[in-house]
Amino acid sequence: MSTTNGHRQGLTLSLILLGGVLIAPLAQAQFTHTQITNSSSGTNSNASISVGGTSIAFISSSDLTSGNADGNEEIFLWTSGSAFSQITSTTGGFNIDPSINGDGTRIAFRSNRDLTGGNAVLDEEIFIWTSGSGFAQITGPTLNGGGPGFPSINSDGTRVAFEGTDDYTGGNADGNVRFSLDLGIGSRQITSSTACSNYAPSINIDGTKIAFYSDCDLTGGNADGSNEVFLWTSGLVSPRSPALPADSTSNPRSTAMAPGSPFAPTAI
């Protein structure tokens, strides 16, 4: 191995001081790339991976299973060691924003199709697909024309955070962009703001924390209305049940949060 100006060429070594201990990383990066899809037409996008990395939900307009000849945007599931599964099969419209739970058995997503018989008007609504039992519609009907979006499901699939301008709890009469948290037994409104918006929620494993960005002044530290990242932390222990409503077309709604409810956002 040659050297130039005292520096060894062809091999880079670094020493990292971590916790007071010098660690020499491996000389070469230890990773691989695996191509999951291989399509000659259409697109594949918006992947969401399970905790163990063995299941991936994504959007595709490709015909990966010979069930999407019309090239519609559908939800697909890739499972390690097996073939693709086409989760939705619709004509027209879209099925987007998939979010998969920890073990790959539930996928929350947004669709403007009538997957359960409860969305005949074809509003944008949030649905959950559960392996072995099919679809459940967890929002709707949309009342103000602004459908929910960007669902994020927790690890055991019992909680879904999403954007919503509808009045799911009785606390959003002005139709502002806010978040709701669906527990399979009702909805909770986790932001309460006026003339500003809250976007792109991401829920943690047990559903007790939700990160999102907002131009609202939720904590008194964002008076200029910049887009900032906030963290919502639940202050209550809520009932937990993996069961969705027995009537898959229903959308049980709780009452609005009482003043002083310990569901407080934290600025990051």
Side-chain angles (χ1 to χ4, degrees):
M1 186 173 298
S2 63
T3 60
T4 303
N5 295 328
H7 297 285
R8 192 177 299 273
Q9 302 299 305
L11 180 64
T12 300
L13 293 176
S14 300
L15 291 178
I16 299 175
L17 184 63
L18 183 62
V21 179
L22 285 174
I23 300 175
L26 295 176
Q28 296 179 349
Q30 301 298 302
F31 62 85
T32 61
H33 290 111
T34 302
Q35 184 173 330
I36 303 301
T37 61
N38 187 9
S39 309
S40 58
S41 62
T43 59
N44 307 285
S45 63
N46 292 62
S48 175
I49 194 167
S50 64
V51 169
T54 58
S55 299
I56 298 174
F58 61 98
I59 308 168
S60 181
S61 59
S62 303
D63 193 8
L64 302 175
T65 62
S66 299
N68 193 29
D70 63 352
N72 202 46
E73 285 187 314
E74 306 289 356
I75 304 296
F76 285 81
L77 175 65
W78 171 85
T79 303
S80 179
S82 63
F84 294 106
S85 299
Q86 184 172 332
I87 302 302
T88 60
S89 181
T90 58
T91 301
F94 57 77
N95 307 278
I96 57 176
D97 300 341
S99 176
I100 197 168
N101 76 329
D103 64 3
T105 58
R106 279 186 174 172
I107 301 171
F109 61 98
R110 175 166 49 132
S111 177
N112 64 356
R113 300 295 89 188
D114 190 10
L115 302 176
T116 63
N119 192 29
V121 294
L122 304 181
D123 284 330
E124 295 180 23
E125 303 294 354
I126 303 297
F127 293 83
I128 290 182
W129 169 86
T130 302
S131 177
S133 61
F135 300 104
Q137 181 177 330
I138 66 170
T139 63
T142 294
L143 304 177
N144 64 8
F150 300 98
S152 178
I153 195 168
N154 72 327
S155 186
D156 66 6
T158 59
R159 293 183 173 187
V160 179
F162 58 92
E163 291 182 9
T165 59
D166 213 340
D167 192 4
Y168 298 102
T169 65
N172 192 28
D174 63 354
N176 196 35
V177 179
R178 306 176 183 184
F179 296 123
S180 293
L181 179 65
D182 189 279
L183 304 176
I185 57 172
S187 297
R188 282 201 175 101
Q189 182 176 320
I190 71 163
T191 60
S192 181
S193 45
T194 303
C196 57
S197 299
N198 309 282
Y199 297 107
S202 178
I203 198 167
N204 74 332
I205 287 178
D206 65 3
T208 59
K209 294 179 182 289
I210 299 173
F212 60 98
Y213 76 91
S214 175
D215 60 3
C216 302
D217 190 9
L218 301 176
T219 63
N222 193 30
D224 62 355
S226 298
N227 280 336
E228 304 291 356
V229 174
F230 291 84
L231 177 67
W232 171 90
T233 301
S234 172
L236 295 178
V237 178
S238 302
R240 302 293 302 280
S241 170
L244 292 169
D247 175 7
S248 63
T249 65
S250 66
N251 179 38
R253 297 179 177 186
S254 67
T255 57
M257 287 191 301
S261 176
F263 286 78
T266 302
I268 303 300

